[in-house]
Amino acid sequence: MSQQFHSPITAVLGPTNTGKTHLAVERMCAHSSGMIGFPLRLLAREVYDRVVALKGENRVALVTGEEKIVPPDARWFLCTAEAMPMDRDFGFVAIDEAQLAINPERGHIFTNRILHARGRDETMILGSESLRPLIRQLLPDAEIITRPRFSTLTYVGPRKLSRLPRRSAIVAFSIEDVYAIAEMLRRQHGGAAIVMGSLSPQTRNAQVKMYQDGEVDFLVATDAIGMGLNLDVSHIAFAALKKFDGRRRRRLTLSEIGQIAGRAGRHQKDGSFGVLSGSISSDELQVEEIERLEDHDFPTLDWLYWREAEPDCSSVDDLIQSLEEGPGERLLQPAPEAIDLAVLKRLAQDQNVRKLVSGSDDVRRLWEAASIPDFRKVGADHQARFVASLWPWLAQGSGRIPHARMAQEIARLENVQGDISTLAARIAAARSWSYIAQKPHWVERAEAMVERTQSLEQMLSDAMHSQLTQRFVDKRTRVLMRGLGKNLFDQDVAIEPDGTLLVEGLEIGVLRGFQFVVPSDSRREDRKMLLAAAERYLGQIMTDKADALAKAPDSVLSLVPDAAGQSAIMWVDSRLAVLSKGKGLLHPELKFDPSVKEMSADNAKKVEDRVRLWLENMKTKHLEGLMKIDALASDADTPPSVRALFAQIVEAGGIIPRLKVDQAVRALDNDMRGVARRAGLVFGALDIFHHALMKPGAVLWRSALFAAFDEQPMMQLPDDNAVHLKEWKFASPDIASRSGFRPVGSEYVRVDMAERLIKQAHEARQAGHVFAIDPALATSLGLSSSIHEALLEMAGFVKADGPPADGDAKADATKPENSPSPAEEVKGAIKADEKLAPDAAVVATTESNEAVEPDKTPETFWRWQGMRKPQHGKSGQKKGKRPPRKGGRTDQSRKQPARKPEPVLAKAGGAFAELAALKDSMKK
């Protein structure tokens, strides 16, 4: 809040079904004004209706992102946590479900409310008992009250779907599972209501009301049921204990299981929970977990997510930096990149957007626009494009979206025809425009737009409720095994997460990807019956799976070596295709699995198109720099010498020893070299490489592409964070280079780290002709002194006979004022601002993560000799050059006169010769 009140703070902690929300409502109504922040719009609406009944409609406000009811005399506000008006003064303030401060996407909002939302007379924090230690440390003056559960919660074990008691809720974690379970409940029990976070609040309200009124006895829900919804549920059955959280598929935490299971039972009515028989294989609840769930004994939280609530809006870059800063408090952790920040970053890269940002007010407006919720769940890229389409209206003229533009978008959505998925997409879009309409400073004729968007959302929600009811309640379900015989397979039918098809709990086969396999131990006379049953039942499932894959995010597919070492593209644990040799390294062919080819033509095309799109997306994501270099190598506008160099670099996979292309590099003038560097190339002393190709994803994909192009198995890769390999053997230096490593002695050093060590050595040359090199960096990377010395010798450094003499220092002091220092010289080869590696500070080897102890030896001194030049011709010498003496150095190399900057650069070869040429051209 804008005011910092020193009112009493009460933390009411305990398990679900303890009446915490009811207590907060009573306390709020006892004050002259108050506000409660809830995790769900649906819950805020439920409490709003309750308070309206007590205080009157003209004195109660409802504030969410998509709905605002704020009468002029409103004194009690019910809000979602994000929409709480923090600049208003209230006698009472409460935040509900405060443990959501650990949520990766929304946690920083709840943390901010815990730390800063304060009532003038009283503040209340409602949450799980797991918050207790953090409340004590973050809010030492807070009074902590424990509210015990009013009823008992008991584990009753696994049960079949057909054996579940009335008033049960089945919890699943995907739309496909929710619909499949609802379909079976319709056949076995007459129907089910559906509650999912992706449904609009109106649709969820209608579905909940249908369940609460007893029209159906079962509820199928996602984990949204655990967010404080008050339902008359006696039993919770988990169809799975794993879910995809937006980043990975993981098992639910004990607290998450308890939050959901705790919805069973109401006030003093006992509840039970269990798992759905046949839906969970080996991942069942353990005895210790069951005991802790029944006792409401959950792990305590060690930290909460945090993000700057009032970021610096001086500029877009300052805003992003401020949002990414850490909290500086060990009990708080920086929040993962939420969708709003990801959208902001993409908008910041759009020059059409940036040119319309001229001051701090525009920066704040851009941040507000980037914070439009992604109701459509389309991801940061698509959401950023949506916001960018609105930005010219918001940033210019009146700063409002024209009425005609909004009316056109709304009219496009006013269509109630279509299936459930089509209606869901329209509702999501309508919710976006409802959110925008609630910003009166964004739209023309705001009141009319609010009314129209709310009417649209209600119309679509009614149609969705009708569709769900028609499909899962009102109509008879499709017969599973039509014509297969009387009473066959007419009971429980379910598919486990591992693909096992179950009928009455018995396995009839396994669906592996898109291939159905009858159990090997089946009797011969049963096999045809099983295949016929599966064919009829799996026809739609195959279509659903193909549709699900076509719409699935890129993260559900992966690239792994199969049993033969081929570069296989997997969907969960099912192989869809393998990479094979194509017309070039970056253009492999796809060989699809036979199970994909055996599908119907429409389904096969969906799968094949999705895999091809994923392959292109992954190449763009991990190998974008290499693909750009490849494009430049094929571009007729690229100078021929640059094209030749780029072609060799692409053939080498983006990392190539400098000696192999030395002549091509020498042929580049300054403009050409600029083209190369803008393409992301780093011209190192030993290697030329693209800085982004050091990342683990790029290494994996280059390995896969090389394996496909060479028609060889994928090679084993070092650990992702390895920068130095001791016990590791590559088949050849070229193979090492493909993994990003350079052989040094009997060990390997990642090329960007090798260049960093060489750069450090050149910087040390500023001390004089003879100089010492700090071994700390090499030691931190795990390099022994012998390996470090071998690397330096490869780079043109030799050990000096002793410490620098007085003459060396004097010679250094007599350099002309405008003479470049060695550190400046080396910038021609390794730019100081190059992003050589994302994890440059990581110390890792294949044996240990411990840094090598520095050798207890006297200090070593070095001098610069210059890197050896590549050999040309049979004799290994250029024409006109004097051959070296047998068994020794040339006279020229033995004699070491005092060096001036330009001769040093000219003789150094490689990158330093480039800088000398640049300086000569500048003098001319």
Side-chain angles (χ1 to χ4, degrees):
M1 313 283 287
S2 58
Q3 303 92 341
Q4 293 298 317
F5 300 117
H6 298 285
S7 60
I9 302 174
T10 304
V12 182
L13 308 179
T16 53
N17 191 16
T18 60
K20 297 190 293 292
T21 303
H22 182 73
L23 173 64
V25 172
E26 287 184 344
R27 294 298 304 155
M28 181 186 72
C29 292
H31 288 269
S32 60
S33 63
M35 173 175 65
I36 303 177
F38 296 98
L40 289 178
R41 174 184 173 187
L42 186 62
L43 187 56
R45 181 78 199 207
E46 178 185 318
V47 177
Y48 166 79
D49 292 337
R50 192 190 314 172
V51 178
V52 164
L54 296 174
K55 296 294 186 180
E57 191 173 359
N58 65 326
R59 305 178 73 189
V60 184
L62 175 67
V63 182
T64 70
E66 306 147 72
E67 187 175 13
K68 286 184 175 64
I69 304 174
V70 186
D73 299 329
R75 298 170 64 183
W76 293 276
F77 281 62
L78 293 313
C79 319
T80 51
E82 287 83 350
M84 294 172 71
M86 298 290 286
D87 56 346
R88 296 188 62 134
D89 178 6
F90 295 97
F92 174 89
V93 169
I95 178 71
D96 193 21
E97 303 290 355
Q99 73 277 0
L100 288 179
I102 199 65
N103 181 274
E105 186 70 26
R106 305 172 65 201
H108 61 277
I109 298 292
F110 285 83
T111 300
N112 176 265
R113 303 304 186 248
I114 291 171
L115 298 177
H116 302 295
R118 296 290 180 267
R120 185 178 59 253
D121 303 317
E122 183 179 1
T123 300
M124 187 172 285
I125 298 172
L126 315 175
S128 167
E129 186 69 25
S130 60
L131 275 173
R132 180 180 291 271
L134 287 176
I135 295 293
R136 281 178 174 168
Q137 296 179 71
L138 293 173
L139 305 173
D141 296 331
E143 177 187 4
I144 300 179
I145 299 175
T146 300
R147 296 277 292 192
R149 182 181 166 96
F150 297 139
S151 59
T152 61
L153 182 66
T154 306
Y155 177 71
V156 295
R159 290 187 178 181
K160 293 182 179 181
L161 195 66
S162 60
R163 304 281 182 157
L164 292 179
R166 296 174 65 250
R167 316 309 293 167
S168 290
I170 299 91
V171 180
F173 298 99
S174 71
I175 294 177
E176 293 81 6
D177 288 346
V178 167
Y179 289 167
I181 292 170
E183 187 84 10
M184 289 186 284
L185 285 171
R186 186 186 77 166
R187 175 171 57 83
Q188 296 178 2
H189 295 286
I194 292 177
V195 174
M196 297 186 297
S198 59
L199 298 178
S200 69
Q202 292 91 332
T203 304
R204 278 181 285 171
N205 279 340
Q207 291 285 302
V208 168
K209 184 177 186 302
M210 184 173 64
Y211 173 80
Q212 293 289 79
D213 291 347
E215 296 180 34
V216 292
D217 288 325
F218 295 89
L219 184 74
V220 186
T222 61
D223 50 350
I225 195 177
M227 291 284 193
L229 293 178
N230 294 312
L231 300 169
D232 183 16
V233 175
S234 62
H235 178 76
I236 296 287
F238 289 89
L241 291 177
K242 291 182 179 179
K243 73 171 184 177
F244 181 74
D245 63 4
R247 293 177 175 82
R248 61 186 177 88
R249 181 170 173 80
R250 63 171 178 83
R251 194 176 193 270
L252 299 176
T253 66
L254 196 65
S255 297
E256 289 172 330
I257 297 173
Q259 183 78 12
I260 298 170
R263 294 301 163 194
R266 191 171 176 86
H267 195 54
Q268 295 183 357
K269 181 180 178 182
D270 295 341
S272 61
F273 69 100
V275 295
L276 199 60
S277 176
S279 293
I280 302 175
S281 53
S282 60
D283 189 27
E284 296 189 11
L285 290 170
Q286 303 301 313
V287 175
E288 297 80 2
E289 292 177 318
I290 295 171
E291 292 176 353
R292 297 187 68 177
L293 288 168
E294 291 180 334
D295 296 337
H296 315 295
D297 177 18
F298 306 122
T300 58
L301 301 179
D302 298 323
W303 46 266
L304 305 176
Y305 282 126
W306 177 93
R307 189 175 75 182
E308 178 59 57
E310 297 180 1
D312 182 1
C313 292
S314 302
S315 69
V316 175
D317 294 332
D318 290 337
L319 172 61
I320 293 174
Q321 181 179 355
S322 179
L323 291 169
E324 291 184 329
E325 287 180 353
E329 162 64 57
R330 68 177 183 84
L331 300 178
L332 305 176
Q333 295 289 331
E337 184 178 273
I339 185 69
D340 53 2
L341 179 55
V343 169
L344 177 64
K345 287 183 176 181
R346 284 157 176 79
L347 292 174
Q349 297 171 358
D350 188 334
Q351 294 305 315
N352 293 326
V353 171
R354 290 198 74 133
K355 69 182 181 182
L356 297 178
V357 181
S358 58
S360 58
D361 289 342
D362 288 339
V363 174
R364 291 188 184 91
R365 190 178 296 111
L366 181 63
W367 175 225
E368 188 178 9
S371 300
I372 297 174
D374 181 19
F375 294 111
R376 299 172 298 164
K377 304 300 180 186
V378 293
D381 289 333
H382 287 81
Q383 183 71 0
R385 285 195 284 272
F386 172 66
V387 176
S389 70
L390 304 176
W391 181 241
W393 301 111
L394 300 176
Q396 300 178 104
S398 65
R400 288 177 167 83
I401 302 171
H403 175 76
R405 165 70 192 278
M406 279 199 67
Q408 181 182 16
E409 292 292 338
I410 293 170
R412 186 174 58 84
L413 298 171
E414 291 176 332
N415 181 1
V416 297
Q417 302 302 315
D419 57 16
I420 291 175
S421 60
T422 302
L423 288 174
R426 291 194 191 121
I427 290 173
R431 294 180 70 184
S432 297
W433 290 109
S434 293
Y435 182 91
I436 293 170
Q438 292 293 341
K439 306 278 187 181
H441 56 292
W442 278 9
V443 298
E444 296 177 353
R445 299 172 59 182
E447 292 184 2
M449 287 295 95
V450 167
E451 182 178 350
R452 188 166 177 184
T453 54
Q454 289 181 347
S455 175
L456 169 65
E457 187 176 346
Q458 185 64 58
M459 179 181 67
L460 293 173
S461 297
D462 290 344
M464 171 67 89
H465 173 63
S466 177
Q467 284 271 13
L468 292 173
T469 303
Q470 182 180 15
R471 178 172 174 180
F472 299 119
V473 178
D474 291 344
K475 289 186 177 181
R476 295 178 59 190
T477 59
R478 181 170 49 90
V479 177
L480 174 64
M481 295 293 173
R482 184 179 301 168
L484 288 182
K486 185 177 180 180
N487 297 325
L488 287 177
F489 308 107
D490 58 353
Q491 298 299 314
D492 288 323
V493 179
I495 295 184
E496 290 188 339
D498 65 355
T500 302
L501 182 63
L502 298 173
V503 176
E504 282 292 314
L506 299 176
E507 179 182 343
I508 67 167
V510 177
L511 184 61
R512 295 174 180 167
F514 294 100
Q515 181 182 15
F516 183 78
V517 180
V518 174
S520 58
D521 58 351
S522 302
R523 292 182 300 177
R524 183 175 180 179
E525 58 269 24
D526 292 338
R527 293 179 67 83
K528 289 184 178 181
M529 180 181 61
L530 293 173
L531 287 171
E535 182 178 359
R536 290 176 180 270
Y537 181 62
L538 294 176
Q540 183 59 41
I541 290 180
M542 286 295 192
T543 300
D544 291 343
K545 287 174 73 70
D547 289 339
L549 176 59
K551 299 174 184 178
D554 286 343
S555 55
V556 304
L557 296 176
S558 60
L559 176 73
V560 297
D562 62 12
Q566 294 177 293
S567 308
I569 298 175
M570 307 291 290
W571 181 30
V572 190
D573 58 351
S574 302
R575 190 175 77 163
L576 300 179
V578 295
L579 302 182
S580 62
K581 185 173 183 177
K583 62 182 180 179
L585 178 67
L586 292 176
H587 306 284
E589 296 290 338
L590 281 170
K591 289 186 177 179
F592 288 94
D593 194 78
S595 62
V596 175
K597 296 181 179 180
E598 292 169 2
M599 299 171 64
S600 67
D602 290 342
N603 289 339
K605 187 176 186 303
K606 294 175 188 176
V607 174
E608 291 172 4
D609 289 347
R610 182 66 184 93
V611 172
R612 290 191 178 96
L613 175 62
W614 180 81
L615 176 60
E616 293 304 315
N617 289 345
M618 291 301 99
K619 289 195 299 181
T620 300
K621 177 180 179 180
H622 298 292
L623 303 174
E624 182 179 14
L626 191 57
M627 293 178 69
K628 288 181 178 178
I629 294 173
D630 185 43
L632 289 171
S634 304
D635 191 343
D637 294 335
T638 305
S641 56
V642 180
R643 292 173 62 187
L645 174 61
F646 280 8
Q648 293 181 75
I649 291 173
V650 171
E651 184 180 358
I655 303 173
I656 190 168
R658 185 160 187 141
L659 287 176
K660 288 190 175 183
V661 291
D662 189 73
Q663 288 300 311
V665 173
R666 289 171 179 270
L668 300 180
D669 60 21
N670 294 327
D671 292 337
M672 297 176 186
R673 193 172 298 110
V675 172
R677 285 191 173 126
R678 284 193 295 275
L681 286 178
V682 177
F683 287 86
L686 299 178
D687 294 280
I688 297 174
F689 56 95
H690 193 285
H691 66 83
L693 297 182
M694 298 295 105
K695 297 180 180 180
V699 174
L700 172 65
W701 273 93
R702 286 190 296 109
S703 172
L705 293 177
F706 271 118
F709 190 73
D710 296 338
E711 298 180 309
Q712 295 291 330
M714 287 181 65
M715 64 180 178
Q716 183 182 1
L717 297 175
D719 292 339
D720 288 347
N721 61 349
V723 296
H724 167 223
L725 305 176
K726 287 185 177 181
E727 300 298 328
W728 196 274
K729 298 297 181 184
F730 289 105
S732 68
D734 286 343
I735 299 298
S737 181
R738 291 177 182 180
S739 298
F741 286 86
R742 163 166 282 277
V744 181
S746 61
E747 300 177 10
Y748 295 88
V749 181
R750 206 168 69 186
V751 295
D752 55 336
M753 294 294 101
E755 296 298 342
R756 185 156 295 183
L757 290 166
I758 295 169
K759 177 177 180 288
Q760 178 200 31
H762 281 291
E763 290 172 344
R765 290 173 57 199
Q766 298 179 74
H769 178 60
V770 177
F771 49 90
I773 300 173
D774 185 359
L777 176 58
T779 301
S780 69
L781 297 176
L783 271 65
S784 64
S785 59
S786 61
I787 296 299
H788 187 203
E789 290 173 2
L791 176 63
L792 294 176
E793 290 171 358
M794 292 170 66
F797 295 88
V798 295
K799 289 185 180 180
D801 295 333
D806 292 340
D808 293 322
K810 291 178 180 179
D812 191 65
T814 59
K815 283 187 176 182
E817 290 185 4
N818 61 353
S819 175
S821 68
E824 292 171 336
E825 296 170 4
V826 80
K827 290 180 182 177
I830 308 172
K831 292 169 62 179
D833 60 350
E834 286 287 6
K835 298 176 182 177
L836 296 183
D839 53 356
V842 174
V843 179
T845 69
T846 56
E847 291 184 337
S848 172
N849 285 332
E850 298 180 1
V852 175
E853 290 293 332
D855 293 339
K856 307 298 184 180
T857 57
E859 190 171 19
T860 303
F861 294 90
W862 297 84
R863 57 186 174 83
W864 167 251
Q865 174 177 278
M867 295 176 61
R868 69 180 181 87
K869 299 177 182 178
Q871 302 299 309
H872 302 277
K874 295 181 179 179
S875 64
Q877 296 293 324
K878 293 182 180 179
K879 289 185 178 181
K881 294 292 183 180
R882 185 176 177 182
R885 291 185 179 182
K886 186 175 182 179
R889 308 175 188 166
T890 64
D891 291 341
Q892 184 179 5
S893 65
R894 181 183 301 143
K895 191 175 182 180
Q896 298 289 340
R899 299 178 178 178
K900 296 180 180 180
E902 280 74 19
V904 168
L905 292 174
K907 291 180 180 180
F912 305 104
E914 300 169 14
L915 186 57
L918 175 61
K919 291 175 63 64
D920 289 339
S921 65
M922 292 175 63
K923 289 179 180 179
K924 295 177 182 177

